[in-house]
Structures are given as structure tokens and as C-alpha cells.
Amino acid sequence: MPTPSPTSPASPASPASAPSAPPRPSTPPFIPSRPSDGDSGSTGGGSSSGSSGENSGRATCQCDDCPHGARQSYRKALAAFVQRRDELAAGLGVPVGLAHSAGASRQWVSDELTGAARALADRSREEGEAWVARLWRRTVGTVWAAAGLLLLVQLLTALAGGWSTGRTAGLVAAGVSAVGLSVAAWLHRSRGGVLAPVIGEDNRLSTSRTVAAGWVLLSVFAVLVLAVELAAAPTPGDRRALLTGLDLSRGAGVVTVLALTCAVAVVVRRTVAVRVQGRRLQKVRADRPHAADLLTDDAGRGAFSDVQYVLINGVAVVFAAVRLSRQPERLPDLPWGLALLVVVSAATYLAGKYAEGGRPVVLSVVRAREMGDLHSPIRTGDDIEIRGAGFVPPGATAPDRLARVVVRVGTVHVHAPLIPVTGGFAGPADTVLNVPVPAEVEPGRVEVQVVTAAGAETNRYPIDVVE
């Protein structure tokens, strides 16, 4: 069950900087504790609804090095973080000595939440690693379930048409493929099993690699079927007829699509790497892969180029599989009209990958003015508002990633403060950052530059700081 994100879209104001309730004595800092052996596994709050039903009537393992323990530890840490964030957003727990200074209280709140966010990120990574470690068993089970489904379909269809050599060849090819995939899953059990080749460097499922893997598996299966039939052919004439099934004239469509999708996978990987190195694309590593990665961008939003690429190729693979089941003695004959549709889909996908992203940019820097303040130039200690785009990369909305946003004012590095609101954070935002001008900045003309959580740097924007 997916866990709700501790962040939400930004709101314009921060209750932390202007507490609405009288300040209370400081509460102990957030320290997410690992569950003990006798812990019941309850996560508290509403962040893990249904967990009590899962654990009722049976004991749940709480060891830190097992999947269940890592999951429960992360859920507890998330519930504690959400509670602490909402308390600070309401102005509760801020030291009395800092209540008179909005800047000091805001910095204290940001430091508290930054430490808590890092501890939460550690739990999230542990949970993700445990999930990937146990994924290989699920992939092996899925592979053998698919082989069992093929056997069931063969048996049911044989009731009407009788058993044939092609059916035997299909089952043998499925068994050989399942054994090979199972061995590969065991060898890569620490990286997701069968899914290891399609997990990208950012720890997300790669759409281009998954589509290419689907065509590769279909092609390997088709060749194995022909090999088994060739081994079982009784006469030389039958063997010569089977060999003609591998002629390029009969399988040109499938070969073309296979070559195209594999080339797209290689080109996309190279394109992403070059654009990241050229600071034209920001990539942030995910804690673990999700099935939705095939249809969404790094921020979890549906991506048209990915969706159409998966759908069109999925339909084409199903069509080719049906043709193979009807004519197992030859490579599946993919019509050129369908092959051309796959080519158009691949071109759209490549164009979408090349067009996505962009370098973060600072458009303007102004003095942040509170209600009632006089109009004045920027001075040391004033808050400045940086307006632009791309300050928060896709997939970097987790609090520990937000805490990594840095503003370089002259030669001084200022971490953008975490500004909590009920249900999320008001800052840092993707288009606006508010930071103070540190006392170490000398009066005169200085340059402001933003460094995002992905390590990308914006343009330098000059401002004048007066005495």
C-alpha cells in the first residue's frame, strides 16, 4: 500500500514564522526510533491504515534487517515526522527565547525539520532496499505463473483441435525461458531479480528498456519454439520448411521493430546522461522502483510520450504473440502498417525525452517586504525573494531533498529554510525561494545563484546590497 507523501503543494504563508498560538517550552527533537522486538508494529496516526488488520491474530517480525521490520520502521518514522511538522507549523514547541524573532524561530524550525527529514530519508532508503531485495522472489513467481497459464491455455485449446508438435514446442520454450529467467533473477537478487535490467540508474523502471525487453523476450521465445520443432521434425523436408520460417522476408517486421526499440533504449540512456552532464536535465534518485514509473515522469505525473509508447508497443507485442500461436513454425509476421505505427510511437517518445526538463533559472530577486514595512533597498539581514523556475527538480519534493536547496549570495552559501504548513511545506518552492542576506555579505554588488537538490546551478543574478 503506498504511503502518503509528507509534502504537499506550497502555500503562500508560513505559520512557523508568525506563531498563532502562545509559545510553549521546547519539545525534544524528533528522533525516529527503531521498533523493539516486543513492539506491536502499530504506526500511530492515520499514515498506515489497515496495518492493525494485517497484524491482528499473528505476530509481525520487527527485526531491522527484514522487510517487515524495515516497512514498520519507516511507517513509524513517517507518522512521527508528520506529527512534528504539523506541530511546528502551528507554532508549537518553538523555544520561548526565539519567539520574539521571526528569523531566528524560522531557522530553528528549519534545522529541526532538516534533521528529522534526514532520519526519515534513512528509514525510507532502508525500506526501499528491503523491498527490492525481496522483489526477486516475486518476479520468479510471476515468471512461473505465466508458464503455468500457458500450459492451462494449451490444454484448453487442445480439447478442440487436439495436441500438436507446436503446443509441445511452446511449452518447452516456456520452460527453458522460465529456467533462464529464474537463474538470472537469482544472480541479480539484490537488484530486483528479473527486473534488474530494466531498472535505470535513477532507481526507476525505464520505459524504453521495458519495451525493448518485451520484444526481446518475444523474439527469444519464437526462436526457441522453432528450435524445438526443428529438433522434433521427422523428415529433411519438414526441417527445410521450418528453416524457411526464419527467412528475413517473413520476419522483417518483427526484426525491424526489435532493432528500433533496442536502439531507442540505448539512445535514451545516452541522451539523458548527456543532458544531465550538460545541466539541461535534473535527475534525482528514487528510493525504489514502482510500476507507475513506466507511465509517469520523475514527479509521478502522467507522461503522454511514455503512455503512448507503452500502449502501442504492448498492443503490437500481443498481436505478434497471437500470430506466433497461430503459426508456430515461423517468426511472427508483423504487418508493415503496425510496424510503422511503432516507428511513429518511438519517434514521439524520443522527442518527448529530448524536450523534457530544462536548466533552472533565476528571473528576478527582490526584497521580501512584510506588511507595514517601509520601502527600502536590500540590506544585510533582509529577506530576499528569488523568483524563477526549476528550483525543485521532479521527484525532489521529499523534505530531505528540499532541505538540500542552497542559495549562493556572493561567496556565502545559505540553505533555503524549510517552512512547514499543515500537510506539507510552503518552501522551498519550485518558483520562489525566500532566504535572508547573511551578515557575512559585504555591501556592494553581489551575485545570487541557486543550487538545486540535483546539483544543478542557475544563472547568476546581480543584486545591490547597501549598508
Side-chain angles (χ1 to χ4, degrees):
M1 179 177 65
T3 309
S5 170
T7 61
S8 70
S11 66
S14 169
S17 60
S20 59
R24 300 184 180 182
S26 175
T27 57
F30 170 86
I31 303 178
S33 58
R34 295 176 180 267
S36 60
D37 292 339
D39 204 330
S40 63
S42 174
T43 60
S47 62
S48 58
S49 60
S51 60
S52 59
E54 294 175 0
N55 299 331
S56 59
R58 61 180 178 88
T60 302
C61 177
Q62 298 294 325
C63 302
D64 291 334
D65 57 350
C66 74
H68 296 290
R71 186 187 308 114
Q72 294 297 333
S73 179
Y74 168 69
R75 289 178 176 177
K76 286 190 172 185
L78 176 61
F81 178 85
V82 170
Q83 180 181 2
R84 182 65 168 153
R85 180 201 63 201
D86 292 345
E87 288 176 353
L88 293 175
L92 305 178
V94 180
V96 176
L98 300 176
H100 67 282
S101 173
S105 62
R106 181 181 61 185
Q107 187 60 50
W108 184 88
V109 168
S110 178
D111 291 343
E112 284 283 294
L113 289 175
T114 297
R118 290 172 180 171
L120 177 63
D122 291 339
R123 298 293 183 270
S124 178
R125 281 189 291 268
E126 290 173 1
E127 193 273 340
E129 291 171 357
W131 184 87
V132 172
R134 70 177 184 271
L135 180 62
W136 77 275
R137 292 187 177 88
R138 297 182 180 181
T139 59
V140 170
T142 302
V143 167
W144 284 103
L149 179 62
L150 177 62
L151 173 61
L152 179 61
V153 171
Q154 296 280 41
L155 292 176
L156 291 178
T157 55
L159 295 178
W163 196 261
S164 64
T165 305
R167 301 182 192 277
T168 303
L171 291 178
V172 173
V176 172
S177 300
V179 170
L181 290 175
S182 299
V183 173
W186 186 84
L187 293 175
H188 297 278
R189 58 190 179 278
S190 62
R191 299 193 63 252
V194 173
L195 296 181
V198 298
I199 297 178
E201 288 73 15
D202 58 352
N203 207 30
R204 295 180 177 88
L205 286 181
S206 169
T207 301
S208 59
R209 298 185 194 181
T210 301
V211 169
W215 284 107
V216 169
L217 289 177
L218 176 65
S219 302
V220 169
F221 182 80
V223 174
L224 285 176
V225 169
L226 282 172
V228 174
E229 287 198 292
L230 185 63
T235 63
D238 294 336
R239 288 191 287 272
R240 284 193 297 270
L242 289 171
L243 289 176
T244 58
L246 291 173
D247 288 346
L248 184 60
S249 59
R250 299 187 176 184
V254 170
V255 173
T256 301
V257 171
L258 174 64
L260 175 65
T261 53
C262 290
V264 167
V266 175
V267 171
V268 166
R269 180 179 180 181
R270 179 60 180 170
T271 300
V272 170
V274 170
R275 299 195 72 209
V276 169
Q277 294 171 3
R279 302 177 183 179
R280 290 173 292 172
L281 179 66
Q282 301 187 73
K283 297 289 288 185
V284 177
R285 181 178 175 84
D287 289 333
R288 68 178 179 91
H290 298 80
D293 295 339
L294 300 177
L295 306 175
T296 61
D297 58 12
D298 291 353
R301 301 182 296 260
F304 170 76
S305 59
D306 295 65
V307 171
Q308 60 87 26
Y309 192 56
V310 170
L311 289 180
I312 291 178
N313 279 275
V315 171
V317 167
V318 171
F319 181 88
V322 171
R323 293 295 294 265
L324 178 64
S325 66
R326 302 298 296 176
Q327 296 177 321
E329 71 280 355
R330 55 184 295 181
L331 288 176
D333 185 13
L334 196 66
W336 281 110
L338 185 55
L340 182 59
L341 185 61
V342 173
V343 172
V344 174
S345 175
T348 304
Y349 178 74
L350 281 175
K353 282 298 177 182
Y354 187 80
E356 71 178 1
R359 184 173 181 176
V361 59
V362 173
L363 299 177
S364 62
V365 178
V366 299
R367 177 179 177 270
R369 176 181 174 272
E370 299 291 339
M371 296 297 295
D373 284 354
L374 298 177
H375 300 285
S376 64
I378 298 175
R379 290 184 171 89
T380 301
D382 288 346
D383 286 348
I384 57 175
E385 183 178 283
I386 305 170
R387 303 170 182 174
F391 299 151
V392 180
T397 54
D400 65 304
R401 304 264 172 70
L402 292 176
R404 297 176 61 187
V405 180
V406 175
V407 177
R408 186 183 294 124
V409 183
T411 60
V412 182
H413 293 75
V414 183
H415 285 265
L418 287 174
I419 304 176
V421 294
T422 302
F425 293 93
D430 187 61
T431 57
V432 177
L433 297 178
N434 287 84
V435 297
V437 178
E440 293 81 4
V441 175
E442 296 290 338
R445 171 150 291 201
V446 296
E447 293 180 333
V448 176
Q449 188 177 33
V450 177
V451 182
T452 70
E457 297 179 342
T458 66
N459 57 304
R460 299 176 183 269
Y461 192 94
I463 63 172
D464 293 316
V465 179
V466 303
E467 296 182 358

